[in-house]
């Protein structure tokens, strides 16, 4: 099996680029952020707030009640929380921030680790997240770190939310993005950082198609190498 680890900060285009590249390559696409978002949604629904003094303990205590699954339906990934399809709900901005907070709790990372590794065991996969190349799949045959300037990432995220009908303003999106980047890169366990040997792909000046072409090209080189 071939594993491609794709990491990078919020809004760098990881998900959309990885999804389109996986389709062209006939690989599975796995969006690991959706798993953290599923746990966050469960916490929010149960009244647990990131501002609670015993936030980490409260999260750890509910993990045994939770099942999260990634399922592929008609080529698209859906996320199920305790059997319920929550693919749309987990995209709300308040769940993004909560996901960043739950992801800093070590027991949550442990809880989701095997699930992610199992996907890679069974499929040729493009897996995106924050710690895929460093922790989840350190032996991935290819590691890519996708990034772009904060303003460009915030602009893309803003347009994505507006297109979905979510009411927001640009400053708010930029603030949330900077807060989330900071939190994701400064946590003690598995912080966001470029894995050793990763290829840096800065999409600031690239069109979506150019970014996809680059990921496909890099992956095809690995596929070819694996054949020989
Ligand atoms: O990729 P995303 O924005 O959907 O991820 C939501 C949050 O989950 C993100 O702020 C950090 C966390 N996350 C993580 O810690 N590790 C991953 N592999 C994926 C996401």
């Amino acid at each position: 099996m071939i594993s491609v680890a794709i990491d990078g900060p919020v809004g760098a285009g990881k998900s959309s680029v990885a999804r389109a590249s996986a389709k062209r390559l006939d690989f599975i696409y796995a969006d690991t952020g959706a798993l953290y978002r599923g746990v966050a949604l469960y916490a929010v629904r149960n009244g647990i707030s990131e501002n609670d003094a015993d936030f980490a303990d409260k999260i750890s205590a509910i993990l045994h009640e939770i099942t999260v699954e990634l399922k592929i339906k008609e080529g698209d990934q859906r996320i199920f929380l305790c059997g319920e399809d929550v693919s749309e709900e987990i995209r709300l901005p308040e769940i993004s921030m909560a996901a960043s907070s739950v992801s800093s709790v070590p027991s949550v990372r442990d809880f989701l680790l095997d699930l992610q590794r199992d996907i890679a065991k069974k499929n040729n996969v493009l897996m995106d997240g924050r710690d895929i190349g460093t922790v989840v799949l350190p032996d991935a045959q290819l590691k890519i770190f996708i990034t772009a300037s904060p303003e460009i990432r915030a602009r893309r995220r803003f347009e994505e939310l507006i297109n979905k009908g979510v009411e927001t303003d640009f400053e708010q999106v930029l603030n949330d993005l900077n807060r989330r980047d900071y939190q994701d890169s400064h946590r003690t366990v598995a912080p966001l950082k470029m894995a050793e040997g990763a290829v840096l792909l800065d999409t600031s000046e690239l069109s979506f198609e150019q970014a996809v072409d680059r990921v496909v090209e890099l992956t095809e080189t690995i596929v070819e190498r694996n054949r020989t």
Side-chain angles (χ1 to χ4, degrees), residues 3-67:
S3 303
V4 179
I6 301 186
D7 292 301
V10 177
K14 293 187 305 285
S15 312
S16 46
V17 169
R19 186 182 297 113
S21 306
K23 268 199 183 125
R24 269 177 54 187
L25 291 157
D26 202 18
F27 273 41
I28 296 276
Y29 161 61
D31 164 14
T32 62
L35 299 170
Y36 289 92
R37 286 169 180 271
V39 174
L41 178 61
Y42 191 90
V44 168
R45 282 180 176 177
N46 284 276
I48 300 175
S49 154
E50 56 181 315
N51 301 319
D52 295 345
D54 49 355
F55 175 70
D57 290 339
K58 281 185 173 161
I59 293 285
S60 302
I62 55 158
L63 286 176
H64 73 279
E65 302 167 11
I66 305 180
T67 54

Side-chain angles (χ1 to χ4, degrees), residues 32-33 36-37 99-100 103 109 129-132 180 184 187:
T32 62
Y36 289 92
R37 286 169 180 271
S100 176
S103 73
R109 307 205 70 84
R130 303 290 188 289
D131 63 338
I132 308 305
R180 211 141 69 87
D184 295 346
R187 64 178 177 229

Side-chain angles (χ1 to χ4, degrees), residues 149-168:
S149 74
E151 286 70 23
I152 287 183
R153 293 189 282 118
R155 173 68 49 200
R156 290 177 186 158
R157 182 50 54 107
F158 174 69
E159 281 164 10
E160 196 182 305
L161 289 169
I162 294 293
N163 284 338
K164 275 190 198 152
V166 177
E167 262 186 51
T168 185

Side-chain angles (χ1 to χ4, degrees), residues 18-19 22-23 26-32 34-35 68-80 85 87 115 118-120 122-127:
R19 186 182 297 113
K23 268 199 183 125
D26 202 18
F27 273 41
I28 296 276
Y29 161 61
D31 164 14
T32 62
L35 299 170
V68 274
E69 294 161 282
L70 291 182
K71 290 186 186 168
I72 312 291
K73 253 189 178 173
E74 286 148 22
D76 228 12
Q77 177 192 271
R78 309 293 298 176
I79 169 96
F80 289 80
D85 187 341
S87 310
L115 210 154
D118 276 351
I119 297 173
K122 295 178 197 143
N123 307 280
N124 287 328
V125 70
L126 292 189
M127 185 173 285

